[in-house]
Tab-separated table of all heavy atoms in Angstrom:
chain	number	residue	atom	x	y	z
A	106	PHE	N	177.202	96.072	166.793
A	106	PHE	CA	177.405	97.294	167.560
A	106	PHE	C	177.478	98.467	166.608
A	106	PHE	O	178.210	98.421	165.613
A	106	PHE	CB	178.680	97.205	168.399
A	106	PHE	CG	178.821	98.288	169.423
A	106	PHE	CD1	178.398	98.074	170.725
A	106	PHE	CD2	179.371	99.527	169.094
A	106	PHE	CE1	178.531	99.086	171.687
A	106	PHE	CE2	179.503	100.525	170.051
A	106	PHE	CZ	179.075	100.308	171.341
A	107	HIS	N	176.723	99.523	166.880
A	107	HIS	CA	176.696	100.698	166.014
A	107	HIS	C	177.364	101.876	166.712
A	107	HIS	O	176.871	102.402	167.712
A	107	HIS	CB	175.249	101.070	165.638
A	107	HIS	CG	175.150	102.248	164.710
A	107	HIS	ND1	173.956	102.893	164.455
A	107	HIS	CD2	176.091	102.897	163.968
A	107	HIS	CE1	174.167	103.872	163.600
A	107	HIS	NE2	175.448	103.913	163.302
A	108	LEU	N	178.523	102.280	166.193
A	108	LEU	CA	179.257	103.440	166.662
A	108	LEU	C	179.088	104.546	165.622
A	108	LEU	O	179.364	104.338	164.442
A	108	LEU	CB	180.747	103.076	166.811
A	108	LEU	CG	181.736	104.207	167.071
A	108	LEU	CD1	181.450	104.873	168.404
A	108	LEU	CD2	183.166	103.678	167.025
A	109	SER	N	178.626	105.708	166.061
A	109	SER	CA	178.364	106.785	165.102
A	109	SER	C	179.153	108.044	165.466
A	109	SER	O	179.074	108.538	166.594
A	109	SER	CB	176.863	107.132	165.058
A	109	SER	OG	176.583	107.975	163.963
A	110	TYR	N	179.930	108.502	164.471
A	110	TYR	CA	180.686	109.759	164.611
A	110	TYR	C	179.814	110.866	164.021
A	110	TYR	O	179.584	110.901	162.814
A	110	TYR	CB	182.031	109.658	163.895
A	110	TYR	CG	182.954	110.820	164.169
A	110	TYR	CD1	183.936	110.729	165.144
A	110	TYR	CD2	182.841	112.013	163.451
A	110	TYR	CE1	184.792	111.785	165.407
A	110	TYR	CE2	183.701	113.075	163.708
A	110	TYR	CZ	184.656	112.966	164.683
A	110	TYR	OH	185.497	114.030	164.946
A	111	ILE	N	179.366	111.778	164.870
A	111	ILE	CA	178.388	112.792	164.469
A	111	ILE	C	179.074	114.142	164.244
A	111	ILE	O	179.677	114.700	165.146
A	111	ILE	CB	177.289	112.934	165.539
A	111	ILE	CG1	176.594	111.592	165.773
A	111	ILE	CG2	176.276	113.994	165.123
A	111	ILE	CD1	175.853	111.038	164.588
A	112	HIS	N	178.929	114.637	163.006
A	112	HIS	CA	179.398	115.993	162.702
A	112	HIS	C	178.363	117.022	163.121
A	112	HIS	O	178.699	118.144	163.485
A	112	HIS	CB	179.692	116.123	161.219
A	112	HIS	CG	180.786	115.218	160.742
A	112	HIS	ND1	182.112	115.434	161.031
A	112	HIS	CD2	180.744	114.065	160.028
A	112	HIS	CE1	182.845	114.464	160.498
A	112	HIS	NE2	182.033	113.623	159.897
A	113	THR	N	177.091	116.637	163.057
A	113	THR	CA	175.963	117.429	163.553
A	113	THR	C	174.692	116.636	163.291
A	113	THR	O	174.650	115.849	162.345
A	113	THR	CB	175.852	118.812	162.873
A	113	THR	OG1	174.804	119.582	163.491
A	113	THR	CG2	175.564	118.689	161.394
A	114	PRO	N	173.661	116.777	164.130
A	114	PRO	CA	172.340	116.275	163.713
A	114	PRO	C	171.905	117.010	162.449
A	114	PRO	O	172.407	118.103	162.136
A	114	PRO	CB	171.453	116.633	164.913
A	114	PRO	CG	172.395	116.716	166.080
A	114	PRO	CD	173.664	117.274	165.506
A	115	VAL	N	170.948	116.456	161.717
A	115	VAL	CA	170.545	116.993	160.410
A	115	VAL	C	170.366	118.508	160.465
A	115	VAL	O	169.370	118.998	160.990
A	115	VAL	CB	169.233	116.345	159.903
A	115	VAL	CG1	168.964	116.770	158.465
A	115	VAL	CG2	169.297	114.842	160.014
A	116	ARG	N	171.325	119.253	159.934
A	116	ARG	CA	171.283	120.711	160.085
A	116	ARG	C	170.091	121.319	159.353
A	116	ARG	O	169.544	122.329	159.779
A	116	ARG	CB	172.587	121.343	159.617
A	116	ARG	CG	172.944	121.138	158.166
A	116	ARG	CD	174.119	122.047	157.777
A	116	ARG	NE	175.272	121.872	158.630
A	116	ARG	CZ	176.297	121.052	158.373
A	116	ARG	NH1	176.262	120.300	157.292
A	116	ARG	NH2	177.313	120.974	159.181
A	117	TYR	N	169.658	120.725	158.244
A	117	TYR	CA	168.533	121.268	157.497
A	117	TYR	C	167.251	121.244	158.310
A	117	TYR	O	166.360	122.078	158.115
A	117	TYR	CB	168.301	120.458	156.204
A	117	TYR	CG	169.555	120.169	155.430
A	117	TYR	CD1	170.089	118.886	155.398
A	117	TYR	CD2	170.220	121.196	154.737
A	117	TYR	CE1	171.245	118.614	154.687
A	117	TYR	CE2	171.377	120.919	154.027
A	117	TYR	CZ	171.885	119.634	154.020
A	117	TYR	OH	173.035	119.358	153.322
A	118	ALA	N	167.150	120.303	159.219
A	118	ALA	CA	165.919	120.120	159.990
A	118	ALA	C	165.962	120.781	161.368
A	118	ALA	O	164.915	121.013	161.979
A	118	ALA	CB	165.622	118.630	160.173
A	119	TRP	N	167.156	121.115	161.859
A	119	TRP	CA	167.292	121.662	163.198
A	119	TRP	C	167.795	123.099	163.161
A	119	TRP	O	167.046	124.017	162.843
A	119	TRP	CB	168.198	120.768	164.049
A	119	TRP	CG	167.657	119.394	164.324
A	119	TRP	CD1	168.086	118.215	163.747
A	119	TRP	CD2	166.598	119.033	165.189
A	119	TRP	NE1	167.371	117.152	164.216
A	119	TRP	CE2	166.456	117.614	165.107
A	119	TRP	CE3	165.748	119.753	166.046
A	119	TRP	CZ2	165.479	116.930	165.833
A	119	TRP	CZ3	164.791	119.061	166.775
A	119	TRP	CH2	164.665	117.677	166.675
A	120	ASP	N	169.058	123.326	163.455
A	120	ASP	CA	169.543	124.688	163.642
A	120	ASP	C	169.616	125.499	162.351
A	120	ASP	O	169.634	126.733	162.415
A	120	ASP	CB	170.917	124.691	164.323
A	120	ASP	CG	171.913	123.811	163.613
A	120	ASP	OD1	171.643	122.608	163.456
A	120	ASP	OD2	172.980	124.313	163.215
A	121	GLN	N	169.605	124.863	161.176
A	121	GLN	CA	169.675	125.598	159.917
A	121	GLN	C	168.362	125.552	159.141
A	121	GLN	O	168.340	125.873	157.943
A	121	GLN	CB	170.816	125.044	159.060
A	121	GLN	CG	172.191	125.277	159.636
A	121	GLN	CD	172.529	126.751	159.802
A	121	GLN	OE1	172.115	127.576	158.988
A	121	GLN	NE2	173.240	127.090	160.854
A	122	ARG	N	167.278	125.194	159.784
A	122	ARG	CA	166.034	125.030	159.029
A	122	ARG	C	165.521	126.365	158.473
A	122	ARG	O	164.938	126.388	157.395
A	122	ARG	CB	164.961	124.348	159.868
A	122	ARG	CG	164.460	125.119	161.083
A	122	ARG	CD	163.466	124.249	161.879
A	122	ARG	NE	162.908	124.934	163.019
A	122	ARG	CZ	163.492	125.045	164.190
A	122	ARG	NH1	164.693	124.507	164.364
A	122	ARG	NH2	162.934	125.678	165.171
A	123	ALA	N	165.743	127.475	159.198
A	123	ALA	CA	165.285	128.768	158.692
A	123	ALA	C	166.013	129.130	157.396
A	123	ALA	O	165.400	129.600	156.423
A	123	ALA	CB	165.486	129.852	159.739
A	124	ALA	N	167.334	128.899	157.367
A	124	ALA	CA	168.110	129.175	156.156
A	124	ALA	C	167.680	128.268	155.018
A	124	ALA	O	167.588	128.698	153.861
A	124	ALA	CB	169.606	129.021	156.443
A	125	TYR	N	167.396	127.018	155.333
A	125	TYR	CA	166.967	126.061	154.304
A	125	TYR	C	165.617	126.479	153.730
A	125	TYR	O	165.421	126.488	152.504
A	125	TYR	CB	166.904	124.663	154.917
A	125	TYR	CG	166.495	123.577	153.949
A	125	TYR	CD1	167.389	123.057	153.027
A	125	TYR	CD2	165.198	123.053	153.960
A	125	TYR	CE1	167.022	122.047	152.139
A	125	TYR	CE2	164.818	122.052	153.089
A	125	TYR	CZ	165.737	121.551	152.180
A	125	TYR	OH	165.361	120.569	151.306
A	126	LEU	N	164.677	126.821	154.596
A	126	LEU	CA	163.343	127.214	154.144
A	126	LEU	C	163.389	128.517	153.355
A	126	LEU	O	162.573	128.751	152.458
A	126	LEU	CB	162.391	127.353	155.333
A	126	LEU	CG	161.953	126.034	155.981
A	126	LEU	CD1	161.230	126.309	157.304
A	126	LEU	CD2	161.039	125.254	155.030
A	127	GLY	N	164.361	129.387	153.691
A	127	GLY	CA	164.486	130.645	152.978
A	127	GLY	C	164.819	130.473	151.506
A	127	GLY	O	164.603	131.399	150.707
A	128	ARG	N	165.330	129.319	151.117
A	128	ARG	CA	165.681	129.054	149.717
A	128	ARG	C	164.532	128.364	148.974
A	128	ARG	O	164.638	128.102	147.780
A	128	ARG	CB	166.932	128.169	149.666
A	128	ARG	CG	168.146	128.845	150.291
A	128	ARG	CD	169.231	127.841	150.639
A	128	ARG	NE	169.718	127.108	149.484
A	128	ARG	CZ	170.573	126.100	149.552
A	128	ARG	NH1	170.994	125.684	150.741
A	128	ARG	NH2	170.981	125.486	148.464
A	129	VAL	N	163.441	128.093	149.708
A	129	VAL	CA	162.289	127.403	149.112
A	129	VAL	C	161.239	128.431	148.698
A	129	VAL	O	160.949	129.349	149.473
A	129	VAL	CB	161.693	126.396	150.124
A	129	VAL	CG1	160.436	125.745	149.579
A	129	VAL	CG2	162.728	125.347	150.498
Side-chain angles (χ1 to χ4, degrees):
F106 191 94
H107 182 192
L108 170 64
S109 191
Y110 189 96
I111 302 296
H112 298 286
T113 185
V115 188
R116 62 169 55 93
Y117 314 108
W119 295 106
D120 53 302
Q121 294 299 325
R122 66 184 182 277
Y125 181 78
L126 287 169
R128 298 161 61 187
V129 175

